[in-house]
Amino acid sequence: PSDLVRQRPDIRASEALLHVASASVGVATANLYPRITLSANYGSEAIKTGDLFSGPSAVWSLGGQLLQPIFHGGALTAKRRAAIAAYDQAQAQYRETVLQAFQNVADVLKALEMDARTLAAQTEAADAARQTLDLIDNQYKVGAVNYLSLLIAQREYLQTRIALTQAQTQRFADTAALFQALGGGWWRRGVPI
């Protein structure tokens, strides 16, 4: 279930923001320490083209640089604390997004369970109404009941068919809501987009 819910766009966006906040903490921490830069160059120079690749025309250089933050009035430490606070906020937001996603999926699954019960009950009611209609229709043909009884049975049967159709519609809508709650696309996993 976690793998299915993790593909939701809101969770992926929140996770990306958490990674950015984590990287910001790393950058702020690295700014507290000295920076060492090493560089090297190699090449050749000559006045004539023929002397370009000869031994005496080789030129090289090696250099180093050390940059130490000496005094920034606590700004670097404050930036690091701010980055840590932003990371904590992103982590809390990520946790909240994940919990909301699981709640959303659980709600839709519960709705689908209720839809299945409703659909089964409406199917039974429609079958019973159909049997009643057939019975009253046969009784009307032999003259045992009046036309009003037949019309009432037809109306009740049609109302149960409408209720059955509404139950099916709700089941389809909740199934689509489940696909949305899960983020969709798990059936295409591994397929290049």
Side-chain angles (χ1 to χ4, degrees):
S2 296
D3 289 339
L4 288 176
V5 174
R6 188 170 183 226
Q7 71 187 3
R8 286 174 51 125
D10 57 343
I11 290 180
R12 296 181 89 174
S14 184
E15 186 177 6
L17 291 174
L18 183 63
H19 288 304
V20 168
S22 175
S24 296
V25 170
V27 168
T29 302
N31 285 339
L32 294 173
Y33 299 105
R35 293 184 192 150
I36 298 173
T37 306
L38 297 175
S39 62
N41 292 318
Y42 180 77
S44 62
E45 62 181 39
I47 297 175
K48 297 180 191 173
T49 311
D51 294 337
L52 188 60
F53 297 107
S54 65
S57 67
V59 176
W60 62 273
S61 68
L62 181 65
Q65 180 180 12
L66 176 65
L67 179 65
Q68 170 69 37
I70 296 176
F71 182 73
H72 289 279
L76 295 177
T77 306
K79 285 181 182 178
R80 183 174 184 274
R81 281 196 306 262
I84 291 172
Y87 174 76
D88 290 342
Q89 180 184 5
Q91 188 177 27
Q93 185 175 4
Y94 175 74
R95 190 175 303 124
E96 181 182 347
T97 302
V98 169
L99 290 175
Q100 285 177 350
F102 278 117
Q103 180 66 44
N104 190 356
V105 171
D107 289 346
V108 172
L109 287 175
K110 189 66 174 172
L112 280 171
E113 181 182 338
M114 295 302 292
D115 290 345
R117 290 180 186 163
T118 303
L119 187 60
Q122 290 299 332
T123 301
E124 287 180 23
D127 290 343
R130 181 65 192 171
Q131 290 173 359
T132 302
L133 176 62
D134 290 343
L135 180 66
I136 290 179
D137 187 41
N138 289 336
Q139 289 176 349
Y140 175 73
K141 287 179 184 176
V142 295
V145 294
N146 59 11
Y147 188 66
L148 182 61
S149 298
L150 179 63
L151 288 178
I152 291 172
Q154 287 175 344
R155 185 189 68 192
E156 289 176 3
Y157 171 69
L158 291 176
Q159 286 176 340
T160 59
R161 289 295 301 167
I162 290 170
L164 177 63
T165 303
Q166 289 172 341
Q168 290 170 336
T169 302
Q170 186 61 43
R171 177 74 186 245
F172 292 142
D174 286 340
T175 302
L178 178 64
F179 288 146
Q180 182 180 8
L182 291 175
W186 64 87
W187 58 87
R188 292 179 42 108
R189 193 173 289 160
V191 176
I193 296 176

